[in-house]
Amino acid sequence: MTKPYVIRLSDILDRIQSYLPGADTTLVEKAYVFAAKAHAGQVRRSGEPYLSHPLAVAYTLAEMKLDLPTIAAGLLHDTVEDADVTIEDIRRLFGDSVAEIVDGVTKISNLPVRSKLHKQAENFRKMLLAMANDLRVVLVKLADRLHNMRTLEFQPEHKRRRIARETLEIYAPLASRLGIDWLKQELEDLSFMYLHPEEYRALRDEVERVVAARQDFIEEVKRIIAQKLKEEGIEGRVLGRRKHLYSIYRKLQRNNLTIDQLYLVYDIIGFRVIVQKVKECYEVLGLIHSLWKPIPGRFKDYINLPKPNMYQSLHTTVIGPGGRQMEIQIRTEEMDRIANEGIAAHWLYKEAKIIEAGSAKAGQLEWLSRLVELQKELQNPRDFIESLRMDLFPDEVYVFTPQGDIKVLPRGATPVDFAYAIHTEVGHHCARAKVNGRLVPLDYELQTGDIVEIVTASNQKPSRDWLKFVKTSRARSRIRQWLKQEEKQRILSAGREILDREFRKVKLTLSQFLDDPRAEEVVKAFSFKTMEDLIIAVGYGRLTAQQVVRKFTLLREGEEEPSEEAMVVKKPRPDRGEDTLSVEGSEDVLFHLSRCCKPLPGDEVVGYITRGRGITVHRADCPNVKTLDPERLIEVQWEASNGAIYPARLWVITADRKGMLATISGAISACEANILEAEVKTTPDKRALFNFLVEVSDRGHLDHIMQSVRQIEGVIRVERRFA
Ligand code: MN
């Protein structure tokens, strides 16, 4: 794109009038005056007044045909950073959308950037897109970076390299993702020039030489295609253009070629045929394949399958005149415009028709606001918007350690997830968290760009509550592991306590037992591997302390093995499917479902370690749980159903009792559930209260029944009751 050497306000205003004829540009003029005042006296390294930079940025934005708030933001983008201006000043004078854009650009500029950047470039790019929930922020940042790259020669050497690398790794791919091809190419070539100045110059000279040598060939190909188009009556143009230097350089690298071997690269020149209609693209493809033999596997149809950035074209490689390979792209004018200018151009193209029709609202380009809206709108976007959105709003958040390393976490992640992502020990001892220097709760939802600091304390322990809010599987499994270990300790001490009590009844102590060599025989007699396993079995109630004590006293008295009776208690046949429960890490545990709250598979439940009678299972919200010793509570899970059935109590309140019992019973039976009891009362307000005890397989089954009963006419309320 052409550009005046020193940009003046009038250049920008002229440019705006070329695509927004008659627009009221007061906002841009005001921004210019404000920026001029804010930057007064500041000078760039080039010796130019600082204002030349925002002017150049705003001009590029006008070249990209952006709306007036974006161009105003371009003029103001460095005022908050470099001058004594606040976002609130900008908001007051220029409105919300200009302020949001300037704020976004300032935030991006202030992100900590580390030397390890190249490893995290992709994350950084995604983060920029995620932070800029208005695409215009990214566009201003790209225009800013373009001008900084164009004037990079004035920076000291080490800074030049850093900025060039960052541009190559972050900003050029961003331009590419947004489909702004010219910008990507210029950023890449400028970066290449500063990162590898010698190779850049050598390659540039060699490319010029090769292109000059192939000039006849280029002209011949263009002539042949143009001739063919004319014969077939297709209106179109043929271009033969050399590719940008950095893409040629990459190609050499990929194929392990030196610059001297450039003649081996056939596609330094790319040919492009631009026609009017989509149908003609395929016609031209046929014509080209009839002229020259296509190379199999090289044809790509991006018209039917556009790239995520909306790029559309047909690509083919054929063996051209003189047996030389050549790559040809075929596309329509509109596709060409989108390939050069990016996704924005798509809306602009439609907009242009409206502007021509004279109905455009001056100063506001609808395509842009529509794009911004589409970004925000999450339902049913068109396919390409969907894929763009995936990039713009990934289901991830990007946060920083205080050292500036980026951690990628799933959306909704908390400081605890972050702590476990750093190290398991940091997670276990995570006591408090600071985000951007401020204390936050441990279940705070991290936001992209947050700088997160974890304060550990040696006496801090993981809490079961953490499982309710952590989002990463890493944190979840580490917390579970810790709790499991802790639970094991708890069961062990419960087992020890029970055993000790039982031993004292026969004037012994647990330690006497443990110190006795015959204790090992007791372990073996009950088929355990270790003493620990035996104590755990007692803790869980699988084995009674009496059995252990009896066995031990018999051994001490030197008596023979008694009958079967002292064996491990076989789990009784569960009458109500109590073996569909498990405790992590333990098998063969005895469970009782508590009568007070009648838990069902699917309910959140907790276990209570009784003294020697196994584990009682309550619903987590059972009021009785609060009265139990918290030291003896244990996590239990439902296993897959084994066809067992459970009782559940239902209250149904209806307006009128006539015929209701039969209707409700019918509905319950239709859900394949048995009714064990049914009772009806009339309430003082003349309603009927039905009390059912039903048998169900799990929570889902009960929900289904409740759903069906609710649909019965006259039913006012359906409730599940504890007792
Ligand atoms: Mn700037």
Side-chain angles (χ1 to χ4, degrees):
M1 294 212 174
T2 54
K3 54 191 182 293
Y5 184 59
V6 178
I7 306 283
R8 289 160 307 173
L9 176 64
S10 58
D11 298 320
I12 297 169
L13 298 179
D14 287 351
R15 191 88 210 178
I16 293 170
Q17 291 301 333
S18 75
Y19 63 95
L20 283 177
D24 174 1
T25 52
T26 314
L27 186 76
V28 173
E29 289 162 51
K30 247 173 72 184
Y32 168 78
V33 173
F34 186 88
K37 234 186 256 170
H39 294 299
Q42 296 176 356
V43 175
R44 298 199 97 211
R45 277 181 188 271
S46 61
E48 288 176 298
Y50 194 90
L51 193 62
S52 64
H53 169 65
L55 278 168
V57 170
Y59 186 75
T60 297
L61 294 168
E63 281 185 308
M64 291 160 85
K65 305 190 178 86
L66 296 178
D67 64 357
L68 298 179
T70 312
I71 294 167
L75 285 165
L76 299 167
H77 81 273
D78 275 333
T79 55
V80 174
E81 182 71 350
D82 298 343
D84 200 13
V85 172
T86 68
I87 284 295
E88 287 323 307
D89 296 336
I90 306 262
R91 193 182 306 279
R92 193 163 31 81
L93 291 164
F94 300 97
D96 283 340
S97 83
V98 174
E100 295 303 317
I101 300 170
V102 173
D103 192 34
V105 175
T106 307
K107 274 190 186 134
I108 289 176
S109 308
N110 286 337
L111 286 176
V113 175
R114 311 297 297 180
S115 49
K116 279 187 275 179
L117 185 68
H118 62 280
K119 284 192 198 140
Q120 302 195 299
E122 177 60 19
N123 286 340
F124 201 88
R125 287 195 295 271
K126 282 195 196 164
M127 182 176 66
L128 288 195
L129 286 172
M131 278 181 81
N133 47 24
D134 186 329
L135 192 58
R136 293 176 292 184
V137 172
V138 180
L139 295 170
V140 174
K141 186 64 203 170
L142 285 170
D144 175 43
R145 181 48 62 110
L146 177 67
H147 187 247
N148 286 336
M149 285 302 293
R150 281 174 176 170
T151 53
L152 199 59
E153 59 187 300
F154 301 106
Q155 295 288 344
E157 165 72 16
H158 69 280
K159 247 185 149 179
R160 261 187 253 169
R161 295 189 60 81
R162 182 180 68 69
I163 294 171
R165 176 160 297 123
E166 190 183 271
T167 301
L168 199 56
E169 285 166 354
I170 309 276
Y171 294 99
L174 268 183
S176 169
R177 184 135 342 152
L178 296 175
I180 314 168
D181 217 35
W182 68 268
L183 182 56
K184 173 193 126 177
Q185 293 183 11
E186 187 169 346
L187 290 175
E188 282 186 347
D189 277 356
L190 285 166
S191 304
F192 176 33
M193 182 169 87
Y194 285 107
L195 282 174
H196 308 287
E198 268 144 48
E199 279 146 301
Y200 175 86
R201 252 170 260 126
L203 182 64
R204 185 192 56 198
D205 295 348
E206 187 62 12
V207 166
E208 266 168 30
R209 211 183 55 73
V210 171
V211 170
R214 291 186 191 173
Q215 206 52 51
D216 290 349
F217 167 79
I218 296 165
E219 291 310 319
E220 191 191 352
V221 170
K222 283 165 69 175
R223 190 182 53 71
I224 295 173
I225 298 176
Q227 176 66 29
K228 198 77 182 171
L229 290 182
K230 209 171 159 197
E231 281 170 28
E232 300 294 326
I234 296 172
E235 200 188 317
R237 46 200 182 100
V238 189
L239 308 173
R241 301 194 337 182
R242 93 161 158 77
K243 298 201 163 168
H244 75 294
L245 286 178
Y246 187 67
S247 70
I248 299 173
Y249 176 70
R250 288 279 305 278
K251 180 135 201 163
L252 287 176
Q253 281 192 320
R254 267 203 305 278
N255 295 303
N256 276 321
L257 298 172
T258 62
I259 290 173
D260 300 337
Q261 294 168 302
L262 187 65
Y263 63 93
L264 291 171
V265 177
Y266 62 87
D267 57 355
I268 295 174
I269 311 291
F271 291 95
R272 188 174 297 161
V273 184
I274 300 167
V275 293
Q276 304 303 312
K277 299 183 193 112
V278 175
K279 175 171 74 85
E280 291 167 343
C281 294
Y282 292 94
E283 286 169 15
V284 170
L285 180 75
L287 294 177
I288 284 170
H289 285 178
S290 71
L291 282 169
W292 299 295
K293 195 171 153 20
I295 295 178
R298 296 296 301 270
F299 169 65
K300 291 202 183 71
D301 184 352
Y302 293 118
I303 291 181
N304 268 315
L305 283 173
K307 291 189 186 180
N309 63 16
M310 286 184 56
Y311 177 87
Q312 285 188 298
S313 202
L314 298 177
H315 290 191
T316 186
T317 304
V318 297
I319 300 179
R324 286 190 208 197
Q325 286 190 21
M326 53 189 199
E327 192 187 79
I328 300 177
Q329 302 173 342
I330 308 158
R331 53 174 82 148
T332 64
E333 291 284 356
E334 189 189 352
M335 292 173 195
D336 193 50
R337 189 164 24 238
I338 290 169
N340 290 321
E341 296 175 23
I343 40 171
H346 175 77
W347 281 274
L348 183 63
Y349 180 71
K350 296 199 163 147
E351 195 79 11
K353 289 182 177 161
I354 302 169
I355 291 172
E356 275 163 28
S359 65
K361 275 182 283 169
Q364 183 65 44
L365 284 177
E366 276 205 9
W367 64 264
L368 196 50
S369 52
R370 215 178 311 149
L371 177 57
V372 171
E373 267 167 38
L374 273 168
Q375 269 182 265
K376 288 174 183 159
E377 191 182 297
L378 299 182
Q379 279 155 4
N380 278 336
R382 278 177 273 169
D383 282 356
F384 56 84
I385 289 297
E386 180 59 19
S387 59
L388 175 68
R389 190 178 66 75
M390 292 303 280
D391 282 345
L392 289 174
F393 298 99
D395 290 327
E396 288 164 343
V397 290
Y398 304 88
V399 295
F400 291 98
T401 67
Q403 290 74 39
D405 288 336
I406 300 176
K407 293 280 169 207
V408 187
L409 296 168
R411 186 160 279 230
T414 63
V416 175
D417 292 291
F418 178 87
Y420 278 101
I422 304 261
H423 194 278
T424 302
E425 286 304 307
V426 176
H428 284 347
H429 298 295
C430 161
R432 283 176 301 148
K434 282 184 190 169
V435 165
N436 306 324
R438 287 226 307 270
L439 222 49
V440 296
L442 288 180
D443 63 355
Y444 166 86
E445 189 174 317
L446 295 173
Q447 304 295 316
T448 285
D450 280 350
I451 299 172
V452 189
E453 189 186 341
I454 299 295
V455 184
T456 58
S458 54
N459 62 353
Q460 174 70 43
K461 294 182 295 188
S463 149
R464 192 174 298 280
D465 287 343
W466 291 1
L467 290 172
K468 290 183 188 138
F469 58 72
V470 293
K471 285 288 178 301
T472 54
S473 52
R474 184 188 164 88
R476 188 170 297 279
S477 73
R478 297 295 197 278
I479 296 167
R480 280 240 164 88
Q481 234 169 44
W482 192 93
L483 291 171
K484 201 167 110 185
Q485 191 56 38
E486 204 228 5
E487 258 154 28
K488 190 178 160 192
Q489 293 306 324
R490 222 186 291 167
I491 301 280
L492 264 173
S493 74
R496 278 200 200 94
E497 194 190 316
I498 295 164
L499 279 169
D500 192 54
R501 220 175 37 222
E502 202 59 35
F503 274 113
R504 283 179 196 278
K505 289 183 187 164
V506 295
K507 308 274 182 269
L508 285 168
T509 63
L510 176 62
S511 21
Q512 274 172 298
F513 167 64
L514 294 177
D515 291 342
D516 195 299
R518 279 164 294 196
E520 273 307 306
E521 285 176 55
V522 177
V523 171
K524 283 206 195 86
F526 290 111
S527 322
F528 291 110
K529 283 204 195 79
T530 65
M531 177 62 77
E532 196 177 85
D533 291 345
L534 179 138
I535 299 174
I536 287 173
V538 172
Y540 279 131
R542 268 177 63 196
L543 180 67
T544 68
Q546 289 96 317
Q547 288 175 294
V548 177
V549 171
R550 191 180 313 143
K551 181 80 197 170
F552 182 60
T553 47
L554 286 176
L555 281 170
R556 263 165 56 108
E557 290 156 15
E559 283 191 22
E560 273 307 293
E561 185 79 356
S563 60
E564 301 296 294
E565 188 242 346
M567 289 298 103
V568 176
V569 177
K570 281 279 169 253
K571 204 164 25 160
R573 266 223 48 74
D575 48 353
R576 296 286 175 197
E578 289 168 354
D579 61 350
T580 53
L581 282 153
S582 73
V583 171
E584 216 170 327
S586 313
E587 288 155 22
D588 214 15
V589 175
L590 190 59
F591 291 101
H592 306 279
L593 295 183
S594 88
R595 249 170 245 153
C596 60
C597 58
K598 297 191 175 51
L600 295 178
D603 284 335
E604 213 184 304
V605 286
V606 297
Y608 177 71
I609 307 161
T610 61
R611 295 187 188 265
R613 286 180 298 104
I615 292 173
T616 310
V617 177
H618 292 262
R619 279 168 55 172
D621 56 356
C622 173
N624 291 337
V625 169
K626 289 193 198 76
T627 67
L628 300 173
D629 175 8
E631 284 294 300
R632 289 175 164 265
L633 290 178
I634 179 176
E635 188 173 358
V636 296
Q637 281 95 31
W638 294 101
E639 300 283 89
S641 162
N642 61 355
I645 44 170
Y646 305 81
R649 193 167 293 284
L650 276 186
W651 277 15
V652 182
I653 296 163
T654 64
D656 179 8
R657 54 184 296 176
K658 232 178 268 165
M660 267 299 175
L661 181 60
T663 314
I664 298 170
S665 305
I668 294 174
S669 302
C671 297
E672 288 174 9
N674 276 330
I675 300 172
L676 297 175
E677 293 170 24
E679 195 185 44
V680 60
K681 282 181 200 153
T682 308
T683 63
D685 55 350
K686 305 274 181 253
R687 290 178 167 174
L689 165 64
F690 294 85
N691 184 343
F692 290 96
L693 189 64
V694 295
E695 278 183 325
V696 296
S697 57
D698 57 21
R699 173 71 178 272
H701 190 190
L702 181 67
D703 288 346
H704 179 58
I705 292 169
M706 292 172 69
Q707 205 59 40
S708 312
V709 174
R710 271 195 199 103
Q711 276 159 13
I712 298 171
E713 209 186 312
V715 168
I716 297 166
R717 215 162 77 216
V718 182
E719 264 178 42
R720 178 181 173 192
R721 304 295 292 195
F722 276 108

